[in-house]
Amino acid sequence: MSDKLLNGQVAVVTGGGRGIGKAVSLELAAHGAHVVINYSRSADAAEALKKEIEAAGGSAETSAFDVSDSAQVDEVLKALIKTHGKIDILVNNAGIALDNLLVRTKDEEWERTIAVNLSGSFYCARAVAKTMMKARSGRIINISSVIGESGNAGQAAYASSKAALIGLSKSLAKELASRGVTVNAITPGYIETDMTSDLGEGATEGILAGIPLGRLGKSEDIAAAVAFLASPHASYITGQVLGVNGGMYM
Ligand SMILES: NC(=O)c1ccc[n+]([C@@H]2O[C@H](COP(=O)([O-])OP(=O)(O)OC[C@H]3O[C@@H](n4cnc5c(N)ncnc54)[C@H](OP(=O)(O)O)[C@@H]3O)[C@@H](O)[C@H]2O)c1
């Protein structure tokens, strides 16, 4: 019997195959969880990560679904619950940023951003809530963003989706607390991933000037916070917004 913190637990990480999600999957697996690596487009990355986790002695599987498709989410998560008998940890990490100035933002960009970032998290949380309530334990961790707290020019849709995710987290925290399920949000600052790869040289310098700790974040910085919130050490923490942002927003 392993004495790892998350031994025997089943964790679903949406968008778990690359970027921040990849670091989260690796970290939860390193702590002993069986990780379900969700992807929508990046099948190769998810399969490669599954192999990487297994080579390190961990346990993982891949699972294809689009978080914005409520019927697909219900079907796949129901099947996963049937296979494993439970889901202990849900990390709503899948997200997109379709940035544009307000007057240039198309309806489709607004709708798609809300559909993936907000509705996707809602659908996944709803799909796992019953099994967690029945088990009288569970962890839902929503990856919001510092932009949801501070707002940002050119990111109206993204900021709205991420701010709403905080409202969703707090409401679910209140609703599920009596059943032993905690719900928290993490608000990353600027993290080096594909999402932030085309900021441009000047933009990065400008961003760095606003980060007291003087560096961009790493996916591992977020993964460590997720693992903490998923662990028994965080059993008395719910409805909170944990900023992992180098101090750029306080
Ligand atoms: N990077 C940052 O600075 C930063 C800051 C604050 C918050 N965040 C948040 O952190 C999360 C991860 O960001 P990241 O930087 O790692 O982004 P990323 O590198 O662009 O990766 C996005 C992830 O989301 C998945 N995804 C996108 N649409 C999906 C859908 N409809 N269904 C299922 N999965 C979907 C992608 O999987 P597929 O390729 O398979 O579609 C991918 O794994 C996002 O929610 C983002 O908003 C990031």
Side-chain angles (χ1 to χ4, degrees):
M1 183 83 168
S2 159
D3 59 357
K4 288 180 176 172
L5 277 179
L6 303 178
N7 186 46
Q9 303 216 6
V10 178
V12 174
V13 183
T14 67
R18 60 189 187 86
I20 291 172
K22 177 180 177 179
V24 170
S25 296
L26 283 166
E27 184 73 12
L28 296 182
H31 284 291
H34 171 77
V35 180
V36 179
I37 305 164
N38 158 255
Y39 65 92
S40 67
R41 296 156 296 183
S42 307
D44 291 351
E47 284 303 327
L49 180 59
K50 170 183 163 2
K51 290 200 180 102
E52 188 180 335
I53 287 172
E54 286 171 346
S59 172
E61 67 185 276
T62 62
S63 176
F65 59 89
D66 179 339
V67 296
S68 71
D69 182 331
S70 132
Q72 232 182 75
V73 167
D74 282 347
E75 189 188 320
V76 175
L77 290 180
K78 198 173 166 191
L80 282 168
I81 291 164
K82 199 170 173 203
T83 303
H84 297 286
K86 60 175 186 171
I87 290 173
D88 302 287
I89 300 161
L90 167 67
V91 184
N92 278 315
N93 163 80
I96 55 169
L98 305 173
D99 301 340
N100 224 334
L101 293 174
L102 174 65
V103 295
R104 292 196 194 144
T105 302
K106 298 186 181 75
D107 289 359
E108 303 81 64
E109 290 170 331
W110 169 266
E111 282 156 14
R112 186 67 190 150
T113 305
I114 299 294
V116 174
N117 297 0
L118 178 59
S119 303
S121 302
F122 167 76
Y123 297 146
C124 292
R126 189 177 58 183
V128 302
K130 264 191 200 155
T131 187
M132 287 183 177
M133 287 193 287
K134 213 171 131 199
R136 298 213 157 255
S137 80
R139 299 292 162 91
I140 299 175
I141 299 158
N142 294 322
I143 308 299
S144 173
S145 169
V146 67
I147 302 302
E149 299 174 298
S150 65
N152 198 22
Q155 291 200 293
Y158 184 76
S160 301
S161 71
K162 294 298 188 178
L165 194 48
I166 293 173
L168 176 68
S169 305
K170 291 182 178 179
S171 297
L172 298 187
K174 287 191 171 174
E175 191 170 323
L176 303 179
S178 66
R179 311 299 184 91
V181 180
T182 69
V183 187
N184 292 288
I186 291 174
T187 50
Y190 280 89
I191 311 299
E192 290 179 288
T193 67
D194 292 346
M195 192 178 269
T196 49
S197 62
D198 60 356
L199 288 173
E201 192 70 16
T204 304
E205 277 162 23
I207 289 163
L208 280 175
I211 303 176
L213 285 179
R215 66 166 175 90
L216 297 184
K218 295 185 174 67
S219 293
E220 291 74 16
D221 294 319
I222 308 306
V226 171
F228 166 65
L229 288 174
S231 79
H233 297 313
S235 60
Y236 198 53
I237 299 175
T238 197
Q240 302 304 305
V241 181
L242 178 56
V244 183
N245 61 25
M248 71 179 280
Y249 180 85
M250 297 181 184

